[in-house]
Amino acid sequence: MNSYEQKQEDRRARLEAAADRADERSNAAYKRADMSEGATGIPFGQPILCGHHSEGRHRAAIKRADNAMRKSVEEDKRAKELRAKAASVGTGGISSDDPDAIPKLTEKLTNLQSQQTNMKAANRVVRKWNKKGVTPETEGKTFDSYAAELAGVADFYTPAMARELLKPQWGHAGPIGFAPYQLTNLNAKIKATKKRIEQLEKASAATTKRHEFQGVCDVVENVEENRVQFIFDGKPSAEVRRIMKSHGFRWAPSQGAWQRQLTGNARYSARLALKEQGVEL
């Protein structure tokens, strides 16, 4: 497990722990919402006795129970949201922050290219046998021979898949095999993955740069952290903080900087943020 993966695991653990605490608060609030006679001293189901000495106590008990139940529901909702976030950690694809991003993307590219090769080969087999008269309704040795040849392309092509690939895309018409749009989409993924690998390789060769703007801040293109960072001498004013947030920068106590991921958009946003702070570029 590399440093990025460990960071993801730590984040998942923090979210799970926060969800557990929210569950505990929800359960505690639910218990406080108890309106039983033992908890309130008021018989269950008894209406408020207007003018009676118990009226104030009864109304207060109802209000406390209502507030507690609302709190219980809110905390339960919060716990579910936190667990959903915890479950989603690490599922957003390969992050540029991952030091192993290039090897992982290279592996992904290899798999995509292999998938593309298999799909094209499968289409050739399907169309060849279709020309020989094999249809989705074909049975017997002829179909078995077709299915066996398709399985020779890749062992995950089962007889059931072989039959499905013989069916026209639009019911009784259209191409058979894998649809053109499927191959087009796959090719787009391959191109995007190649481009991303090139970008990361270029970024890995870059060095950290620090730009000083006297009286305002320092802007750092931190290659090691993969972040554009704004570093101020002290706590910036409320207006400056608003500017930073409006351009996607967030305060990172661990870095002592306002930062966002190092991308072309981040560099552009940094220039806009500087201009709003009166810096002439």
Side-chain angles (χ1 to χ4, degrees), residues 9-187:
E9 283 299 317
D10 292 344
R11 181 166 184 261
R12 185 182 293 108
R14 287 196 301 272
L15 288 168
E16 286 287 357
D20 289 340
R21 292 193 296 272
D23 271 334
E24 290 173 2
R25 292 193 296 270
S26 176
N27 292 334
Y30 182 80
K31 291 177 181 178
R32 293 197 303 273
D34 184 7
M35 280 293 291
S36 66
E37 184 174 356
T40 63
I42 300 169
F44 185 74
Q46 175 179 294
I48 296 174
L49 303 177
C50 296
H52 190 264
H53 66 81
S54 66
E55 179 184 356
R57 179 162 54 88
H58 198 161
R59 291 188 185 279
I62 291 173
K63 185 175 182 180
R64 282 196 303 272
D66 180 65
N67 289 340
M69 185 57 73
R70 290 177 187 276
K71 179 68 173 176
S72 177
V73 172
E74 288 172 4
E75 291 294 348
D76 181 65
K77 182 180 178 181
R78 175 64 175 161
K80 289 176 180 176
E81 290 173 350
L82 288 167
R83 293 199 193 285
K85 285 185 178 180
S88 68
V89 171
T91 62
I94 301 170
S95 172
S96 299
D97 291 342
D98 190 338
D100 295 329
I102 293 176
K104 288 179 180 178
L105 284 169
T106 302
E107 181 182 359
K108 176 183 177 180
L109 177 61
T110 300
N111 292 336
L112 289 172
Q113 290 172 328
S114 176
Q115 183 182 353
Q116 183 185 54
T117 300
N118 286 339
M119 289 170 71
K120 288 181 177 180
N123 274 0
R124 288 193 292 270
V125 172
V126 171
R127 288 163 187 166
K128 182 183 80 172
W129 282 89
N130 183 248
K131 287 180 181 178
K132 292 181 179 181
V134 175
T135 69
E137 291 74 30
T138 301
E139 299 287 351
K141 292 183 178 179
T142 303
F143 180 83
D144 292 342
S145 297
Y146 152 66
E149 184 173 344
L150 189 60
V153 173
D155 56 12
F156 53 78
Y157 288 123
T158 63
M161 289 182 66
R163 199 173 294 281
E164 280 296 317
L165 288 172
L166 285 166
K167 295 179 181 179
Q169 299 294 321
W170 308 304
H172 298 291
I176 58 175
F178 290 102
Y181 78 85
Q182 290 176 292
L183 290 167
T184 299
N185 290 347
L186 185 57
N187 194 50

